[in-house]
Coordinates of all heavy atoms in Angstrom, one line a residue:
F1 N -5.3 3.9 4.2 CA -5.8 2.8 3.4 C -7.3 2.6 3.5 O -7.9 2.8 4.5 CB -5.0 1.5 3.9 CG -3.5 1.6 3.7 CD1 -2.7 1.3 4.8 CD2 -3.0 2.0 2.5 CE1 -1.3 1.4 4.7 CE2 -1.6 2.1 2.4 CZ -0.8 1.8 3.5
M2 N -7.8 2.0 2.4 CA -9.3 1.8 2.3 C -9.6 0.3 2.0 O -8.7 -0.5 1.7 CB -9.8 2.6 1.1 CG -9.8 4.1 1.3 SD -11.1 4.6 2.5 CE -10.3 5.9 3.3
P3 N -10.9 -0.1 2.2 CA -11.3 -1.5 1.9 C -11.0 -1.8 0.5 O -11.2 -0.9 -0.4 CB -12.8 -1.5 2.2 CG -13.0 -0.4 3.2 CD -12.0 0.7 2.8
S4 N -10.5 -3.0 0.2 CA -10.2 -3.4 -1.2 C -11.4 -3.3 -2.1 O -11.3 -3.1 -3.3 CB -9.6 -4.8 -1.2 OG -10.4 -5.7 -0.6
S5 N -12.6 -3.5 -1.6 CA -13.8 -3.5 -2.4 C -14.1 -2.1 -3.0 O -14.9 -2.0 -3.9 CB -15.0 -4.0 -1.6 OG -14.8 -5.3 -1.2
L6 N -13.5 -1.1 -2.4 CA -13.8 0.3 -2.8 C -12.7 0.9 -3.6 O -12.7 2.1 -3.9 CB -14.1 1.2 -1.5 CG -15.4 0.9 -0.8 CD1 -15.5 1.8 0.4 CD2 -16.6 1.0 -1.7
R7 N -11.6 0.1 -3.8 CA -10.5 0.7 -4.5 C -10.9 1.1 -6.0 O -11.7 0.5 -6.6 CB -9.3 -0.2 -4.6 CG -9.5 -1.5 -5.4 CD -8.3 -2.4 -5.3 NE -8.4 -3.6 -6.1 CZ -8.9 -4.7 -5.6 NH1 -9.2 -4.8 -4.3 NH2 -9.0 -5.8 -6.3
R8 N -10.2 2.2 -6.4 CA -10.5 2.6 -7.8 C -9.5 2.0 -8.8 O -9.7 2.1 -10.0 CB -10.4 4.2 -7.8 CG -9.0 4.7 -7.7 CD -8.9 6.2 -7.6 NE -7.5 6.6 -7.5 CZ -7.1 7.8 -7.0 NH1 -8.0 8.6 -6.6 NH2 -5.8 8.1 -6.9
S9 N -8.4 1.4 -8.2 CA -7.4 0.8 -9.0 C -6.7 -0.2 -8.2 O -7.0 -0.4 -7.0 CB -6.4 1.8 -9.6 OG -5.6 2.3 -8.6
D10 N -5.8 -1.0 -8.8 CA -5.0 -2.0 -8.1 C -3.7 -1.4 -7.6 O -2.8 -2.1 -7.2 CB -4.7 -3.2 -9.0 CG -5.9 -4.0 -9.3 OD1 -6.8 -4.0 -8.4 OD2 -6.0 -4.5 -10.4
E11 N -3.6 0.0 -7.6 CA -2.4 0.6 -7.1 C -2.1 0.3 -5.6 O -3.0 0.4 -4.8 CB -2.5 2.1 -7.3 CG -1.3 3.0 -6.9 CD -1.6 4.4 -7.0 OE1 -2.7 4.8 -7.4 OE2 -0.7 5.2 -6.8
S12 N -0.9 0.0 -5.3 CA -0.5 -0.2 -3.9 C 0.7 0.6 -3.6 O 1.4 1.2 -4.5 CB -0.3 -1.7 -3.6 OG 0.8 -2.1 -4.4
V13 N 1.1 0.6 -2.3 CA 2.3 1.3 -1.9 C 3.4 0.4 -1.6 O 3.2 -0.6 -0.9 CB 2.0 2.2 -0.6 CG1 3.3 2.8 -0.1 CG2 0.9 3.2 -0.9
T14 N 4.6 0.6 -2.2 CA 5.7 -0.3 -1.9 C 6.8 0.6 -1.4 O 7.2 1.6 -2.0 CB 6.2 -1.0 -3.2 OG1 5.1 -1.8 -3.7 CG2 7.4 -1.9 -2.9
L15 N 7.3 0.3 -0.2 CA 8.4 1.0 0.4 C 9.7 0.2 0.3 O 9.7 -1.0 0.6 CB 8.1 1.3 1.9 CG 6.8 2.1 2.1 CD1 6.5 2.2 3.6 CD2 6.8 3.4 1.4
N16 N 10.8 0.8 0.0 CA 12.1 0.2 -0.1 C 13.1 1.0 0.7 O 13.1 2.2 0.6 CB 12.6 0.0 -1.5 CG 11.7 -1.0 -2.3 OD1 11.9 -2.1 -2.2 ND2 10.8 -0.4 -3.1
W17 N 13.9 0.4 1.6 CA 14.9 1.1 2.3 C 16.0 0.1 2.6 O 15.9 -1.1 2.6 CB 14.4 1.8 3.5 CG 14.0 1.0 4.6 CD1 14.8 0.6 5.7 CD2 12.8 0.3 4.9 NE1 14.1 -0.2 6.6 CE2 12.9 -0.4 6.1 CE3 11.6 0.3 4.1 CZ2 11.8 -1.1 6.6 CZ3 10.5 -0.5 4.7 CH2 10.7 -1.1 5.9
T18 N 17.2 0.6 2.9 CA 18.4 -0.2 3.1 C 19.1 0.4 4.3 O 19.3 1.6 4.4 CB 19.3 -0.2 1.9 OG1 18.5 -0.7 0.7 CG2 20.5 -1.1 2.1
D19 N 19.6 -0.5 5.2 CA 20.6 -0.1 6.2 C 21.9 -0.8 5.8 O 22.1 -1.3 4.8 CB 20.1 -0.4 7.6 CG 20.0 -1.9 7.9 OD1 20.5 -2.7 7.1 OD2 19.4 -2.3 8.9
S20 N 22.8 -0.7 6.8 CA 24.2 -1.2 6.5 C 24.2 -2.7 6.3 O 25.2 -3.3 5.8 CB 25.1 -0.7 7.6 OG 24.7 -1.3 8.8
L21 N 23.2 -3.4 6.8 CA 23.2 -4.9 6.8 C 22.2 -5.5 5.8 O 22.5 -6.5 5.2 CB 22.9 -5.4 8.2 CG 23.9 -5.0 9.3 CD1 23.5 -5.5 10.6 CD2 25.3 -5.5 8.9
R22 N 21.0 -4.9 5.7 CA 20.0 -5.6 5.0 C 19.2 -4.6 4.1 O 19.2 -3.4 4.4 CB 19.0 -6.3 5.9 CG 19.6 -7.5 6.7 CD 18.7 -8.1 7.7 NE 18.5 -7.1 8.8 CZ 19.2 -7.2 9.9 NH1 20.2 -8.0 10.0 NH2 19.0 -6.3 10.9
S23 N 18.5 -5.2 3.2 CA 17.5 -4.4 2.4 C 16.1 -4.9 2.7 O 15.9 -6.0 3.1 CB 17.7 -4.6 0.9 OG 19.0 -4.1 0.5
Y24 N 15.1 -3.9 2.7 CA 13.8 -4.2 3.1 C 12.8 -3.8 2.0 O 13.0 -2.9 1.2 CB 13.4 -3.5 4.4 CG 14.3 -3.7 5.5 CD1 15.5 -3.0 5.7 CD2 14.0 -4.7 6.5 CE1 16.3 -3.2 6.7 CE2 14.9 -5.0 7.5 CZ 16.0 -4.2 7.7 OH 16.9 -4.4 8.7
R25 N 11.7 -4.5 1.9 CA 10.6 -4.1 1.0 C 9.3 -4.4 1.6 O 9.0 -5.5 2.2 CB 10.7 -5.0 -0.3 CG 9.7 -4.6 -1.4 CD 9.9 -5.4 -2.7 NE 9.1 -4.9 -3.7 CZ 7.9 -5.3 -4.0 NH1 7.3 -6.2 -3.1 NH2 7.2 -4.9 -5.0
L26 N 8.4 -3.4 1.7 CA 7.1 -3.5 2.3 C 6.0 -3.2 1.3 O 6.0 -2.1 0.7 CB 7.0 -2.6 3.5 CG 5.6 -2.5 4.2 CD1 5.3 -3.9 4.8 CD2 5.6 -1.4 5.2
D27 N 5.1 -4.2 1.1 CA 4.0 -4.0 0.1 C 2.7 -3.8 1.0 O 2.4 -4.7 1.7 CB 3.9 -5.2 -0.8 CG 2.9 -5.0 -1.9 OD1 2.1 -4.1 -1.8 OD2 2.9 -5.7 -2.9
S28 N 2.0 -2.7 0.8 CA 0.8 -2.4 1.6 C -0.2 -3.5 1.4 O -1.1 -3.7 2.3 CB 0.3 -1.1 1.3 OG -0.2 -1.0 -0.1
T29 N -0.3 -4.1 0.3 CA -1.3 -5.1 0.0 C -1.2 -6.3 0.9 O -2.1 -7.1 1.2 CB -1.3 -5.6 -1.4 OG1 -0.1 -6.1 -1.8 CG2 -1.6 -4.4 -2.4
K30 N 0.0 -6.5 1.5 CA 0.2 -7.6 2.4 C -0.6 -7.5 3.7 O -0.9 -8.4 4.4 CB 1.7 -7.7 2.8 CG 2.7 -8.0 1.7 CD 2.5 -9.4 1.1 CE 3.6 -9.6 0.0 NZ 3.5 -10.9 -0.6
F31 N -1.0 -6.2 4.0 CA -1.7 -6.0 5.2 C -3.2 -5.6 4.9 O -3.9 -5.0 5.7 CB -1.0 -4.8 6.0 CG 0.4 -5.1 6.3 CD1 1.4 -4.6 5.6 CD2 0.7 -6.0 7.4 CE1 2.7 -4.9 5.9 CE2 2.0 -6.3 7.7 CZ 3.0 -5.8 6.9
G32 N -3.7 -5.9 3.7 CA -5.1 -5.6 3.4 C -5.3 -4.1 3.3 O -6.5 -3.6 3.4
G33 N -4.3 -3.3 2.9 CA -4.5 -1.9 2.7 C -4.4 -1.5 1.3 O -3.5 -2.1 0.5
N34 N -5.1 -0.5 0.9 CA -5.1 0.0 -0.5 C -4.9 1.5 -0.5 O -5.7 2.2 0.2 CB -6.4 -0.4 -1.3 CG -6.5 -1.9 -1.5 OD1 -5.9 -2.4 -2.5 ND2 -7.2 -2.6 -0.6
Q35 N -3.9 1.9 -1.3 CA -3.6 3.3 -1.2 C -4.6 4.2 -2.0 O -4.9 5.3 -1.7 CB -2.2 3.5 -1.8 CG -1.7 5.0 -1.8 CD -1.3 5.5 -3.2 OE1 -1.4 4.8 -4.1 NE2 -0.7 6.6 -3.2
S36 N -5.3 3.6 -3.0 CA -6.2 4.3 -3.9 C -7.5 4.7 -3.1 O -8.1 3.9 -2.5 CB -6.6 3.5 -5.1 OG -5.4 3.0 -5.7
W37 N -7.8 6.0 -3.1 CA -9.0 6.5 -2.5 C -10.2 6.0 -3.3 O -10.2 6.1 -4.5 CB -9.0 8.0 -2.3 CG -8.2 8.4 -1.1 CD1 -6.8 8.6 -1.1 CD2 -8.7 8.7 0.2 NE1 -6.4 8.9 0.2 CE2 -7.5 9.0 1.0 CE3 -9.9 8.7 0.7 CZ2 -7.7 9.4 2.3 CZ3 -10.0 9.1 2.1 CH2 -8.9 9.4 2.8
P38 N -11.3 5.6 -2.7 CA -12.4 5.0 -3.4 C -13.3 6.1 -4.0 O -13.4 7.2 -3.5 CB -13.1 4.2 -2.3 CG -12.8 5.0 -1.1 CD -11.5 5.5 -1.2
K39 N -14.1 5.6 -4.9 CA -15.1 6.5 -5.5 C -16.2 6.8 -4.5 O -16.9 7.8 -4.5 CB -15.7 5.9 -6.8 CG -16.3 4.5 -6.5 CD -16.7 3.8 -7.8 CE -17.2 2.4 -7.5 NZ -17.7 1.7 -8.7
E40 N -16.5 5.9 -3.6 CA -17.5 6.0 -2.6 C -17.0 6.5 -1.2 O -17.6 6.3 -0.2 CB -18.3 4.7 -2.3 CG -19.0 4.2 -3.6 CD -18.1 3.3 -4.4 OE1 -16.9 3.3 -4.1 OE2 -18.7 2.6 -5.3
K41 N -15.8 7.2 -1.3 CA -15.2 7.5 0.0 C -16.0 8.5 0.8 O -16.0 8.4 2.1 CB -13.8 8.2 -0.3 CG -13.9 9.5 -1.0 CD -12.5 10.1 -1.1 CE -12.5 11.5 -1.8 NZ -11.2 12.0 -2.1
E42 N -16.8 9.4 0.2 CA -17.6 10.3 0.9 C -18.6 9.6 1.8 O -18.9 9.9 3.0 CB -18.3 11.3 0.0 CG -17.4 12.3 -0.7 CD -16.7 11.7 -1.9 OE1 -17.0 10.5 -2.3 OE2 -15.9 12.4 -2.5

């Protein structure tokens, strides 16, 4: 994950999984993380 100021898009990562009792959903933006690699990454 990269700083939000350097993101190239608003793309984020969402994970979904299910066990026998519950379903879960995790959005990376909740933790200040951005999946998109920045243009200034170098």
Side-chain angles (χ1 to χ4, degrees):
F1 299 130
M2 289 289 146
S4 57
S5 300
L6 292 180
R7 65 180 181 269
R8 71 183 180 205
S9 71
D10 291 329
E11 181 184 3
S12 65
V13 177
T14 301
L15 304 177
N16 293 277
W17 72 94
T18 303
D19 65 14
S20 60
L21 298 178
R22 293 175 289 270
S23 296
Y24 305 85
R25 185 175 186 273
L26 174 64
D27 188 342
S28 65
T29 58
K30 300 288 186 184
F31 303 100
N34 292 276
Q35 182 231 10
S36 305
W37 278 83
K39 54 186 178 181
E40 298 90 346
K41 66 179 180 182
E42 292 82 4

